[in-house]
Amino acid sequence: MSDQIRYFRLPLSEAVSQRAARVAGVLFITATASTMAAQIILTPLLDASQVAADPQIHLIAFAVLLEIANALASAGIAIAFYPVLRRCAELAATGYLGLRVIEGAVGVVAATVLAMVISTSADEMAFTLAVHDTAFLMVLLVFSCGTLLLYPMLYVFRLVPPVLSLWGLIGGLILLVSCVLILFGQVEMGGTTDLILSLPIWINEMALALWLLARGVDLKHIGSGNDRAA
């Protein structure tokens, strides 16, 4: 009887894990695409004098929706992926979940501040935009710290091809460097240098998402680890 129970449990567990991985893949695409689209829309708009003269309300409102979509998807990735990652390293998985929930919360704050631009007076415009930029920079900082937990788990337990894991880890470190440089005024947010330093992780997250959708995760190394522990 116990063998039969194990026989039915394993396929069910793997099916749930693969479903979770594919949901995470969809959310990776949603988060990355919405972030990139919002930045493309906002970069030419978020000049205080230009916004004050021509607020372009519809574009700003659309960017607000994109930032909210990114915030919710970012938190959703960790929630969806948690059952899989928890089987690898519970503490690291919980830390990743916490960071992405914080990232999502700060992202909602950034989107809310951006929405205030529409009704802010010209005198307060520069301050409002500065608060939004700071909040969004915090989003990127928390996100880049999250990559330092996610990608080592993906690599150690071979959930995805090692090249994706290493690429993501390096891309996350590069993004973290970019955020620190922006924080200390060495790089302009949204500038060419920032874009170049951000591209590796954004491209990686799309590649990772497509892999999760097409192939899911490889669970055999988790199973072998559990067997050794037992």
Side-chain angles (χ1 to χ4, degrees):
M1 178 64 72
S2 61
D3 290 339
Q4 290 179 342
I5 292 174
R6 266 200 308 273
Y7 177 79
F8 286 108
R9 276 182 180 173
L10 286 175
L12 177 61
S13 176
E14 181 169 352
V16 171
S17 297
Q18 300 300 354
R19 190 180 305 118
R22 287 180 170 85
V23 170
V26 172
L27 293 174
F28 268 121
I29 292 175
T30 302
T32 303
S34 58
T35 299
M36 294 179 70
Q39 290 306 296
I40 290 171
I41 292 172
L42 291 175
T43 298
L45 291 181
L46 292 189
D47 174 76
S49 58
Q50 185 176 353
V51 174
D54 182 13
Q56 302 191 50
I57 293 174
H58 297 300
L59 284 177
I60 294 175
F62 184 48
V64 169
L65 292 177
L66 288 172
E67 288 199 356
I68 291 175
N70 170 55
L72 297 178
S74 296
I77 288 168
I79 294 171
F81 225 173
Y82 183 72
V84 177
L85 298 179
R86 184 169 177 253
R87 295 172 60 186
C88 301
E90 185 170 1
L91 184 60
T94 302
Y96 179 65
L97 174 63
L99 283 174
R100 299 232 68 168
V101 169
I102 292 171
E103 176 192 342
V106 178
V108 171
V109 172
T112 302
V113 174
L114 180 61
M116 294 169 59
V117 169
I118 296 173
S119 58
T120 300
S121 65
D123 294 336
E124 299 174 340
M125 190 72 66
F127 176 75
T128 305
L129 293 177
V131 172
H132 169 265
D133 287 349
T134 301
F136 189 74
L137 179 60
M138 293 303 104
V139 169
L140 295 178
L141 274 169
V142 177
F143 165 75
S144 57
C145 289
T147 63
L148 305 184
L149 289 175
L150 172 65
Y151 286 101
M153 281 190 285
L154 297 183
Y155 177 79
V156 169
F157 291 92
R158 296 296 194 269
L159 295 176
V160 298
V163 64
L164 286 177
S165 304
L166 293 174
W167 178 6
L169 181 59
I170 294 170
L173 285 170
I174 293 173
L175 179 63
L176 181 59
V177 170
S178 177
C179 291
V180 172
L181 291 175
I182 293 171
L183 190 62
F184 287 97
Q186 301 302 306
V187 170
E188 181 183 357
M189 191 171 189
T192 303
T193 302
D194 180 33
L195 177 62
I196 292 173
L197 294 176
S198 300
L199 273 178
I201 189 62
W202 301 140
I203 296 173
N204 169 265
E205 296 242 313
M206 295 297 281
L208 174 62
L210 293 175
W211 180 271
L212 292 176
L213 289 172
R215 302 294 296 273
V217 288
D218 186 349
L219 301 174
K220 65 177 178 289
H221 297 285
I222 299 177
S224 61
N226 290 340
D227 293 340
R228 285 194 299 269

